[in-house]
Amino acid sequence: MAIDFNGALTLADQAILSNDPLVKEITKSLHKTWNAIKDIPFTTSPSLRQVGQRYVNSGIPTPNWTGINSEPVAVKGKPKSYEEQMYLLRNKITVDHVLLDQPNNIIDPVEAQVQMYLEGFAYDFNDKFINNDPTSNVAGNSVDAFPGLAYRLNNPNQYDIPSEMIIDSTADIQLATLLTNSSTATSLQGIGAANRMIADIQKLLDNMNAPDGDGVVFYMSELTKRQVEMAIRVMGIGAGFDITQDSFDRPVEKYKNATVRVVGRKADGTTPIISNSLTISTVAGSNANTSQIYAVRYGSGYVTGWQSGPFKPQYLGLSKENGIMHNILFDWGCGLWIPHVRAIGRINVRVQA
C-alpha cells in the first residue's frame, strides 16, 4: 500500500524540532483554551444511533374529575420519538523511524505532534459544540459532526424546544450604558440594566427546571463575561454570583449552583466562538451589538454524551507494510444525547457599542 505523506513529518519539520543550543524548549504561543468536552458526562457504547421516547406538554393526559357512580374516562399519554447519532473523528500521525532516532531532538517528534493535535481538537470541539450547522457549507461547519447548540436552538421545532428557552434580553449591558446613572438614564441602563440581566439569567434557569442552577453551565464570550461581571459590580452586591474552588483548588465562578465559563476563541486565536457582533432585531438596540449566553443542564435525563471509547492516541507501531513509518491513530466516536427539551437555552443580549 502507498504511504500517505500528506500528514507525515518532513525534514523541514524535523529541522524545527532539532536541538539548537539556544533553544531549550518549544513554546506553545497560543491563546490558551479549555475543552468543553470536560463538562459533558460520557458513557461508553458502540451504538451508532440511540432512539428514545419523550413526553412533551402537548402529549400528557388530562385527568377527569367526576362524581359518585360515574364511569372512569379512558386517558393516555402520547410520547414522541427522537434519535441522535454518533459522529466519528479519525486522524493519524505518521513519522519516519529515522526522525525518531535523532539525538538532537528538542522533544520527541511524536509527542510534539500529539500535543498540538490535542490543542487543535480543543479549539475545534468548542466551536462545533456551539456553532456547528450540519446544513451549511460555510467553513467550520461539518455534516459529519453533531449539530451544535446554536443550530438546535435556531431550529426549535425540529428538537421540540419550547420558545421560552430563547430569551431576548431588554437589558443593555454595554460599557457606556452600564455606567450611565444620571437623571437621563432609562430603566434599562445602569443599575436597571444590571438588574434586568440578572433577572433574565434567573428566568432562563426557571425555564430549565433548575431555579438553583443545579447541573447547569453557562457559556459566554470573554466580552459578555466582562460585562456581566461589571453588571454585578454596578449593582453593588453579589447578585447570586460567587467564586468557589474545584477539587484542584482552581477558581470556579458560579451563579447560585450554575457554573459560568468563557467558551473561548477559535483556532486563529482572535475570533470569539460566540460572536459579539450579531444582529438580532428583537434585542435592545436592534443592531449588530449582540452576543449570546448559552446554558446547558448536564446530567441523566438532560444532556449527556456517549462515546465509542476514551479519546486518546493509539500507537500502532512501525508499519508492517512499508517498515519505515511509525503510525499514531486517533479514532473516536461521540454523540450528544439530549432527551429533555428544556436542557438547553440561550439569552441574546446587547454587549457593545
Side-chain angles (χ1 to χ4, degrees):
M1 181 180 294
I3 303 173
D4 180 8
F5 288 104
N6 291 328
L9 209 64
T10 66
L11 285 175
D13 297 326
Q14 171 62 23
I16 296 174
L17 296 175
S18 63
N19 186 19
D20 185 283
L22 296 178
V23 180
K24 303 302 182 183
E25 63 181 22
I26 297 177
T27 301
K28 290 186 288 187
S29 186
L30 309 172
H31 190 281
K32 189 69 176 178
T33 192
W34 62 280
N35 198 332
I37 197 174
K38 297 178 181 179
D39 289 332
I40 305 172
F42 278 97
T43 58
T44 300
S45 170
S47 299
L48 293 177
R49 290 184 179 274
Q50 291 194 167
V51 180
Q53 301 280 334
R54 64 180 163 220
Y55 287 97
V56 294
N57 285 75
S58 60
I60 61 176
T62 302
N64 182 70
W65 296 76
T66 187
I68 297 174
N69 299 325
S70 297
E71 289 287 335
V73 175
V75 295
K76 66 177 180 179
K78 185 178 180 181
K80 293 186 66 175
S81 296
Y82 65 97
E83 70 175 49
E84 297 278 3
Q85 76 173 69
M86 178 180 286
Y87 296 86
L88 303 177
L89 183 146
R90 286 176 175 167
N91 290 102
K92 68 176 180 178
I93 297 171
T94 59
V95 181
D96 193 302
H97 75 96
V98 300
L99 299 181
L100 295 179
D101 300 330
Q102 296 302 304
N104 58 345
N105 287 336
I106 303 172
I107 186 175
D108 180 273
V110 172
E111 180 183 351
Q113 293 300 310
V114 168
Q115 286 181 4
M116 289 313 301
Y117 179 81
L118 294 176
E119 293 281 353
F121 171 73
Y123 287 111
D124 184 71
F125 188 90
N126 291 354
D127 193 14
K128 294 289 192 297
F129 184 61
I130 299 293
N131 294 320
N132 189 51
D133 182 346
T135 66
S136 172
N137 293 324
V138 175
N141 296 311
S142 174
V143 68
D144 294 319
F146 49 77
L149 300 182
Y151 179 83
R152 293 169 186 265
L153 288 164
N154 290 341
N155 297 274
N157 294 334
Q158 184 176 339
Y159 296 95
D160 300 317
I161 297 174
S163 59
E164 65 179 358
M165 301 313 297
I166 302 174
I167 297 174
D168 291 324
S169 180
T170 54
D172 183 346
I173 62 168
Q174 59 180 313
L175 175 61
T177 50
L178 276 178
L179 297 179
T180 300
N181 290 304
S182 67
S183 59
T184 60
T186 71
S187 61
L188 298 178
Q189 295 178 329
I191 294 177
N195 267 304
R196 178 73 265 174
M197 185 71 258
I198 304 304
D200 286 334
I201 289 174
Q202 184 60 54
K203 181 179 179 181
L204 182 56
L205 289 180
D206 291 340
N207 293 344
M208 299 178 77
N209 299 327
D212 295 324
D214 295 328
V216 175
V217 177
F218 287 110
Y219 299 101
M220 60 190 74
S221 70
E222 297 166 20
L223 174 62
T224 301
K225 184 169 178 290
R226 290 197 298 270
Q227 302 303 79
V228 169
E229 289 172 345
M230 180 174 289
I232 297 167
R233 292 193 294 270
V234 165
M235 293 175 68
I237 57 175
F241 285 84
D242 195 10
I243 298 178
T244 62
Q245 291 183 326
D246 63 14
S247 56
F248 297 97
D249 294 327
R250 295 171 300 193
V252 178
E253 292 168 278
K254 295 275 191 178
Y255 172 70
K256 294 188 173 180
N257 292 328
T259 300
V260 179
R261 294 203 194 282
V262 171
V263 77
R265 306 182 185 187
K266 299 189 179 187
D268 61 12
T270 303
T271 308
I273 286 176
I274 301 177
S275 175
N276 298 312
S277 56
L278 298 170
T279 301
I280 302 177
S281 61
T282 51
V283 173
S286 301
N287 48 29
N289 298 321
T290 301
S291 191
Q292 298 171 319
I293 299 173
Y294 286 87
V296 181
R297 184 175 181 181
Y298 293 105
S300 179
Y302 289 93
V303 175
T304 58
W306 84 98
Q307 60 182 350
S308 57
F311 180 71
K312 62 181 182 180
Q314 181 183 357
Y315 177 59
L316 302 181
L318 192 65
S319 172
K320 302 299 182 183
E321 297 173 344
N322 54 64
I324 62 172
M325 304 299 289
H326 286 270
N327 295 290
I328 298 88
L329 174 68
F330 285 90
D331 183 9
W332 186 62
C334 74
L336 293 180
W337 184 244
I338 309 180
H340 205 293
V341 297
R342 294 178 177 273
I344 62 175
R346 181 172 71 199
I347 300 173
N348 302 320
V349 60
R350 189 179 184 191
V351 294
Q352 66 178 4

